[in-house]
Amino acid sequence: MNERVVEAINRQVNSELSASYSYLGMFSWCERQKFTGAARWLRLQSQEEYMHGMKLLDFLLARDCDVDLRQIEAPHVSYNSLLDVFERALQQEQEVSRQIDELYETAFKEKAFAAVAELQWFLTEQVEEEKTGREIVTKLKMIGSDPSSLLEMDRELGARSGVEQPPSTAS
Ligand code: FEO
């Protein structure tokens, strides 16, 4: 596969794993503040991001490409509020969407059609993840600092059933 595409996918593996680590930072803060529902939601999200990174890594390996595992930066572990956590989560998802768009464009320009097909799932997934993030942020803004509404929201987040398994990469 074309070198530019391989480099860009390696970069995205790092970005997905960084997102996973960043959600762990958010999970830890929420757990310590006893927002246990939000903590559960964020822990599951961290697992989803790990699987996204693995899906891309499996794709590189299935195509017999060079793997370049890079350093992952330490995430934030301190936040001002539950709203602050989810605003940052949404920003992170918006940034990942931008990266996926860029990666898709690179793969398309380089005629790396297998990569184009692989990345289609990520494009759709980002639409869903941004939508969910926006909904949570909007609700938290409405709630403000009302304790009973915050606890209800925490319960709602804790009802998240599990992680969405991405379809496996054909090898
Ligand atoms: Fe895998 Fe939410 O980006």
Side-chain angles (χ1 to χ4, degrees), residues 119-138:
L119 291 168
Q120 252 147 21
W121 180 85
F122 284 87
L123 286 175
T124 317
E125 175 68 9
Q126 280 312 118
V127 171
E128 192 52 40
E129 296 210 335
E130 274 194 48
K131 177 175 175 281
T132 305
R134 261 193 305 272
E135 283 170 4
I136 297 171
V137 166
T138 304

Side-chain angles (χ1 to χ4, degrees), residues 86-144:
F86 280 93
E87 278 184 328
R88 282 178 199 251
L90 176 58
Q91 277 168 18
Q92 180 170 284
E93 289 306 331
Q94 287 166 334
E95 175 59 17
V96 170
S97 296
R98 194 193 58 71
Q99 292 165 347
I100 297 281
D101 283 353
E102 230 177 70
L103 176 53
Y104 190 88
E105 189 182 5
T106 304
F108 198 80
K109 278 189 180 155
E110 299 293 341
K111 298 186 168 43
F113 296 118
V116 167
E118 177 71 18
L119 291 168
Q120 252 147 21
W121 180 85
F122 284 87
L123 286 175
T124 317
E125 175 68 9
Q126 280 312 118
V127 171
E128 192 52 40
E129 296 210 335
E130 274 194 48
K131 177 175 175 281
T132 305
R134 261 193 305 272
E135 283 170 4
I136 297 171
V137 166
T138 304
K139 285 182 185 177
L140 286 171
K141 279 183 176 164
M142 278 191 268
I143 287 170

Side-chain angles (χ1 to χ4, degrees), residues 40-157:
R40 174 182 155 76
W41 193 98
L42 292 158
R43 187 180 177 127
L44 291 171
Q45 190 59 32
S46 172
Q47 288 170 18
E48 274 201 10
E49 300 301 347
Y50 171 78
M51 288 192 293
H52 297 170
M54 289 305 295
K55 180 167 170 57
L56 290 170
L57 180 57
D58 283 341
F59 177 72
L60 286 175
L61 292 167
R63 304 288 294 172
D64 202 24
C65 299
D66 286 339
V67 169
D68 177 18
L69 292 175
R70 301 164 191 196
Q71 189 164 348
I72 294 174
E73 275 183 38
H76 269 296
V77 285
S78 163
Y79 295 89
N80 299 322
S81 62
L82 200 54
L83 175 61
D84 187 25
V85 169
F86 280 93
E87 278 184 328
R88 282 178 199 251
L90 176 58
Q91 277 168 18
Q92 180 170 284
E93 289 306 331
Q94 287 166 334
E95 175 59 17
V96 170
S97 296
R98 194 193 58 71
Q99 292 165 347
I100 297 281
D101 283 353
E102 230 177 70
L103 176 53
Y104 190 88
E105 189 182 5
T106 304
F108 198 80
K109 278 189 180 155
E110 299 293 341
K111 298 186 168 43
F113 296 118
V116 167
E118 177 71 18
L119 291 168
Q120 252 147 21
W121 180 85
F122 284 87
L123 286 175
T124 317
E125 175 68 9
Q126 280 312 118
V127 171
E128 192 52 40
E129 296 210 335
E130 274 194 48
K131 177 175 175 281
T132 305
R134 261 193 305 272
E135 283 170 4
I136 297 171
V137 166
T138 304
K139 285 182 185 177
L140 286 171
K141 279 183 176 164
M142 278 191 268
I143 287 170
S145 56
D146 176 53
S148 64
S149 304
L150 270 174
L151 285 175
E152 178 54 36
M153 184 69 193
D154 187 52
R155 247 193 307 276
E156 189 185 315
L157 289 166

